[in-house]
């Protein structure tokens, strides 16, 4: 099917091409506005190894070891033990409903922690509690002197999600794609001869005349 033929097919089914994407966008928009707002609280922490307090200068091996410890701490943050202790500290039975994102660089000892949940203040409390719990556990099981919060998490004032506009746009594009696909399928499955040229091609005989359609009852 050429582009010109496709445009003609879409023009013949213009109502479907317009209505289906709009319907998908409206339904998705309605559903997305029923979803609760999500708030993200973030904090950064610095991993201080034990030998940092006794060494005036850091060798390359010390830095490499520090970066490995930082990666271990980043993994520890996602452990069940940290989640359980944190929930207990903030008065929750568990951290279900709160997503935790940990970002650490391979060249620094700074870890960024983001906690997303339905309650802005509780999200900030969970983030700060995770720093304290991780510091206590890492001191007891790793070669870490302490984990110090660089920026304590504050309750966010604006929601971070859901991305309602993005959802609506995606639904609009999906509806448009579905409409185009449906038009092409209907055109492909339609076996009617719609012109004298198609009749000549199908029967192999020339058309010698046309009978005009006569209106009226």
């Amino acid at each position: 099917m050429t582009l010109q033929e496709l445009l003609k097919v879409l023009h013949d089914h213009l109502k479907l091409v317009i209505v289906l994407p709009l319907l998908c966008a409206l339904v998705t928009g309605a559903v997305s506005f029923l979803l609760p707002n999500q708030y993200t609280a973030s904090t950064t922490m610095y991993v201080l190894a034990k030998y940092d307090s006794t060494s005036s200068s850091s060798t390359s091996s010390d830095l490499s070891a520090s970066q490995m410890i930082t990666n271990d701490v980043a993994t520890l943050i996602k452990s069940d033990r940290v989640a359980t202790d944190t929930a207990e500290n903030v008065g929750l039975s568990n951290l279900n409903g709160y997503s935790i994102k940990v970002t650490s660089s391979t060249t620094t000892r700074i870890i960024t922690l983001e906690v997303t949940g339905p309650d802005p203040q509780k999200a900030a409390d969970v983030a700060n509690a995770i720093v304290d719990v991780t510091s206590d556990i890492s001191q007891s099981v790793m070669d870490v002197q302490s984990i110090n919060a660089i920026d304590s998490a504050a309750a966010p004032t604006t929601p971070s999600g859901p991305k309602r506009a993005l959802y609506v746009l995606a639904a609009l594009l999906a509806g448009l794609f579905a409409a185009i696909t449906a038009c092409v399928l209907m055109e492909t499955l339609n076996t009617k001869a719609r012109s004298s040229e198609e009749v000549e091609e199908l029967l192999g005989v020339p058309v010698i005349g046309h009978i005009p359609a006569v209106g009226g009852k």
Side-chain angles (χ1 to χ4, degrees):
M1 180 179 292
T2 65
L3 178 59
Q4 185 176 1
E5 292 173 337
L6 176 61
L7 292 177
K8 183 180 182 305
V9 170
L10 296 181
H11 181 269
D12 293 340
H13 301 87
L14 188 59
K15 184 176 181 180
L16 176 63
V17 174
I18 295 176
V19 171
L20 185 57
L22 291 179
L23 182 62
C24 291
L26 288 174
V27 171
T28 302
V31 172
S32 65
F33 275 99
L34 294 177
L35 297 175
N37 288 332
Q38 296 290 312
Y39 298 86
T40 299
S42 62
T43 180
T44 53
M45 62 194 82
Y46 185 82
V47 179
L48 183 64
K50 287 184 178 179
Y51 50 75
D52 289 336
S53 60
T54 59
S55 176
S56 60
S57 62
S58 297
T59 64
S60 59
S61 60
D62 291 337
L63 293 175
S64 178
S66 297
Q67 291 162 8
M68 292 180 62
I69 291 175
T70 302
N71 292 334
D72 291 342
V73 171
T75 302
L76 174 65
I77 293 174
K78 301 177 182 179
S79 67
D80 292 338
R81 180 177 176 184
V82 170
T84 301
D85 291 354
T86 299
E88 182 179 349
N89 286 0
V90 297
L92 296 173
S93 57
N94 54 62
L95 294 185
N96 293 341
Y98 290 87
S99 63
I100 299 172
K101 180 181 178 182
V102 181
T103 306
S104 63
S105 172
T106 58
T107 58
T108 68
R109 286 181 283 179
I110 296 177
I111 297 175
T112 301
L113 171 67
E114 294 181 350
V115 176
T116 302
D119 183 274
Q121 184 58 57
K122 191 64 78 173
D125 294 342
V126 169
N128 292 323
I130 287 177
V131 177
D132 296 335
V133 170
T134 302
S135 180
D136 293 340
I137 296 177
S138 62
Q139 289 180 57
S140 63
V141 300
M142 298 177 180
D143 190 23
V144 173
Q145 177 173 315
S146 64
I147 296 178
N148 302 323
I150 300 174
D151 298 309
S152 297
T157 56
T158 57
S160 58
K163 307 293 185 181
R164 295 183 175 92
L166 182 61
Y167 294 165
V168 171
L169 178 60
L172 185 66
L173 295 177
L176 179 60
F177 177 77
I180 294 174
T181 302
C183 291
V184 172
L185 286 176
M186 286 188 293
E187 186 71 15
T188 303
L189 296 175
N190 189 351
T191 58
K192 293 181 179 179
R194 283 155 289 183
S195 67
S196 58
E197 289 78 9
E198 290 186 5
V199 173
E200 290 180 348
E201 183 179 352
L202 291 171
L203 300 180
V205 294
V207 176
I208 61 175
H210 295 83
I211 300 176
V214 179
K217 297 182 180 180

